[in-house]
Amino acid sequence: MSLQVIILAAGKGSRMRSALPKVLQPLSGKPLLAHVVSAAEQLGNAAVTVVVGHEAEMVQSVMAKDFSLNYVAQTEQLGTGHAVRQANEVYGDDDVVLVLYGDVPLIQTATLNDLLGLVTDEHPLSVLTITLEDSSGYGRIIRDAHHQVSCIVEEKDATPEQKQVKEVNTGIMAVQGRYLRKWLGELSCQNAQEEYYLTDIISMCVAEGKGVATTEPSSEIEVLGVNDKRQLHGLERAYQLEKVEQLFEQGVTLLDSHRVDIRGELAVGQDVSIDINVVFEGKVTLGNNVSIGANCIIKDSVIADNTIIQPFSHIDSSQLAENCVIGPYARLRPGTNLSAKVKIGNFVETKKAQIGEGSKVSHLSYIGDTVMGANCNIGAGTITCNYDGVNKYQTTLGDKVFVGSASQLIAPVSIGDNATIGAGSTISKDAPEDTLTLSRAKQISLKGWEKPVKK
Ligand code: UD1
Ligand code: CA
């Protein structure tokens, strides 16, 4: 017996009013479908098949970046039962099939394990249900006098009495392969929506003389679906509040829990403080005593102990060692690697730059494709000219280099240890160590020169 997960993702999602298929809409920066696939993959040993239809190629090509999955096509959306039937080839009689929805993103692996644990020979089908104050729109769980499930009735087919039922079908179910195949073969579309309802297999299970097991998730947001932008927003906020709760548990100081977004994984040390309007993307690690100022965006980076990020800084794919001070208004682009005690000040852009311990680039500079030693001081307005329009070249600075303001270092070029570059220089040849190098037009003052007058 093995586990086969089938994720339904063929629907258009018209109510999103978007060219992007619904299952690719981002929640916490990741497609809805990717959340579902991750939960399925955490079950271990599960083979995952996605039923695609609307914009199938786009869905597959986006998902292929992060996952290798099986796909089956459902060219016409004739209902959830019809969708699962498209995957008949992928599961065997002895497999257990878990059906998930591509637009129900926050389902938890633990809940799925509970559901799967209920599948037995006596109960070859288990359904995840939830009790809602307002059950409108959902299929209702109908139980008999002994509280046993007898069927699911869709809203559009329900009697007024059935509509009163608050326990609903989340859509997520687990079922033995041999029964699933048999029951899917018996589905008809004689119902209000003229669709093949997957939910009809519940009454078929009962007719078979078998029981239907049910369980509920620990939290409602696990089973909330996304149909429009309002619901997407609701789930995003609920998800972010959960992330924030985890940060509070870890002792993080958040100046406003509603004004921080974690679109990925954030690992934190002790006494981390995060000011308002900070966005974390991808994988970010913050050491002890790291403080992040207001309005920063930090993506796929590691920031070590005691480093301070001042407001309005943007840090992408960078490594920062301890005791650095960054910003305000700094931009660290991919491949920035700072040793301890580095200072990067306002309006400084770095890219593929390795900067040694204690070096300072305090104002208005571009440092790209550069290896810089320790304790350098780079004056305001220094530019590494790394690009000739076709190729990129390297700039190398030794230790204790002083570069005067408004200098251009034309790569490839290298500056020796303890060298000084005079302000305003254009350096296109290597500069030796322990020496002042400058290139500067001679200054002249013209006596008797007269200012122009307005004609
Ligand atoms: C379905 C359930 C309902 C349940 C609700 C929970 C059925 C008949 N009804 O209703 O009991 O309360 O979900 O949200 O199953 N899809 C396809 N191909 C299709 C049809 C749907 O891939 O032909 C996919 C959709 O993209 C979506 C999911 O299946 O991800 C659910 O389809 P949807 O039409 O939203 O089902 P509901 O009518 O909401
Ligand atoms: Ca739906």
Side-chain angles (χ1 to χ4, degrees):
M1 178 210 115
S2 65
L3 174 60
Q4 295 288 338
V5 179
I6 298 173
I7 303 177
L8 306 190
K12 180 158 185 267
S14 326
R15 280 184 282 159
M16 299 303 281
R17 304 205 183 280
S18 170
L20 192 66
K22 175 160 79 174
V23 293
L24 294 184
Q25 299 280 334
L27 175 79
S28 179
K30 204 166 90 170
L32 294 174
L33 181 55
H35 288 267
V36 183
V37 171
S38 296
E41 287 191 339
Q42 281 168 42
L43 289 167
N45 302 330
V48 179
T49 299
V50 182
V51 181
V52 287
H54 178 70
E55 294 285 8
E57 276 172 31
M58 200 198 296
V59 172
Q60 291 183 49
S61 77
V62 169
M63 294 303 289
K65 289 179 208 152
D66 295 310
F67 303 96
S68 88
L69 303 166
N70 306 322
Y71 295 93
V72 297
Q74 186 197 24
T75 42
E76 267 184 298
Q77 279 76 65
L78 302 178
T80 48
H82 180 260
V84 176
R85 202 152 72 191
Q86 308 312 302
N88 264 349
E89 298 294 306
V90 307
Y91 62 88
D93 281 353
D94 294 330
D95 292 342
V96 170
V97 177
L98 175 65
V99 177
L100 302 177
Y101 285 8
D103 58 357
V104 180
L106 296 183
I107 187 67
Q108 296 297 301
T109 308
T111 302
L112 297 178
N113 272 322
D114 286 350
L115 188 71
L116 289 164
L118 296 175
V119 177
T120 60
D121 287 337
E122 294 74 48
H123 297 91
L125 173 58
S126 65
V127 179
L128 188 66
T129 70
I130 186 148
T131 304
L132 297 175
E133 212 26 68
D134 175 11
S135 56
S136 57
Y138 288 89
R140 309 298 203 279
I141 306 290
I142 308 301
R143 293 182 183 266
D144 66 16
H146 308 287
H147 202 64
Q148 300 303 305
V149 176
S150 50
C151 62
I152 294 178
V153 180
E154 291 305 299
E155 162 117 349
K156 287 183 178 139
D157 302 288
T159 63
E161 196 179 296
Q162 289 170 330
K163 281 185 185 161
Q164 300 302 313
V165 174
K166 306 249 182 264
E167 187 188 10
V168 302
N169 173 30
T170 64
I172 294 173
M173 53 183 82
V175 50
Q176 283 182 355
R178 69 166 49 76
Y179 289 109
L180 179 63
R181 189 184 314 282
K182 174 172 182 242
W183 297 332
L184 288 177
E186 294 167 7
L187 290 180
S188 92
C189 57
Q190 275 149 23
N191 50 54
Q193 301 182 83
E194 298 184 333
E195 283 182 5
Y196 296 93
Y197 290 166
L198 179 61
T199 44
D200 284 352
I201 70 172
I202 279 75
S203 54
M204 292 176 183
C205 179
V206 174
E208 198 88 41
K210 302 280 184 179
V212 176
T214 62
T215 183
E216 296 211 4
S218 45
S219 126
E220 188 180 314
I221 72 165
E222 285 190 45
V223 295
L224 293 181
V226 173
N227 295 301
D228 57 29
K229 290 291 170 89
R230 194 169 290 103
Q231 288 173 341
L232 182 62
H233 171 263
L235 268 200
E236 178 76 48
R237 293 338 304 163
Y239 184 73
Q240 291 300 335
L241 283 179
E242 276 197 349
K243 292 257 169 186
V244 150
E245 283 303 324
Q246 291 162 13
L247 292 180
F248 284 141
E249 287 299 319
Q250 295 171 83
V252 174
T253 300
L254 292 169
L255 277 292
D256 183 347
S257 60
H258 287 87
R259 285 184 290 171
V260 58
D261 271 25
I262 298 140
R263 301 180 191 151
E265 293 160 43
L266 176 61
V268 291
Q270 205 173 27
D271 290 312
V272 164
S273 166
I274 301 170
D275 209 330
I276 58 168
N277 295 335
V278 175
V279 178
F280 296 96
E281 295 176 25
K283 255 195 159 136
V284 175
T285 302
L286 306 179
N288 298 329
N289 299 309
V290 166
S291 121
I292 312 286
N295 302 297
C296 289
I297 297 176
I298 301 178
K299 178 179 179 190
D300 292 322
S301 293
V302 176
I303 301 179
D305 296 355
N306 307 316
T307 284
I308 297 173
I309 313 296
Q310 299 190 35
F312 294 96
S313 294
H314 190 178
I315 299 177
D316 185 0
S317 308
S318 296
Q319 311 273 325
L320 286 66
E322 312 80 58
N323 299 294
C324 293
V325 180
I326 310 300
Y329 296 98
R331 180 169 183 214
L332 309 190
R333 290 172 51 205
T336 297
N337 188 336
L338 308 183
S339 302
K341 298 182 196 155
V342 165
K343 177 169 191 246
I344 303 290
N346 47 210
F347 307 106
V348 172
E349 174 181 349
T350 61
K351 184 217 75 169
K352 285 193 187 154
Q354 194 179 313
I355 299 186
E357 182 165 340
S359 288
K360 295 184 167 76
V361 188
S362 297
H363 332 265
L364 299 150
S365 291
Y366 172 64
I367 306 295
D369 300 302
T370 297
V371 176
M372 186 188 299
N375 299 310
C376 293
N377 192 321
I378 309 301
T382 297
I383 308 289
T384 55
C385 307
N386 59 334
Y387 186 49
D388 63 6
V390 182
N391 295 304
K392 300 264 170 73
Y393 301 94
Q394 192 80 12
T395 299
T396 308
L397 292 87
D399 294 337
K400 294 189 190 160
V401 171
F402 181 95
V403 179
S405 298
S407 294
Q408 304 99 48
L409 309 177
I410 307 206
V413 71
S414 106
I415 317 281
D417 287 346
N418 204 35
T420 298
I421 304 297
S425 293
T426 301
I427 301 296
S428 53
K429 286 182 274 190
D430 289 356
E433 56 185 17
D434 300 315
T435 307
L436 169 66
T437 301
L438 74 170
S439 79
R440 202 184 274 169
K442 204 164 185 174
Q443 180 169 326
I444 53 168
S445 301
L446 295 180
K447 274 197 177 140
W449 176 80
E450 283 175 12
K451 279 196 178 176
V453 289
K454 190 147 181 106
K455 289 183 187 146

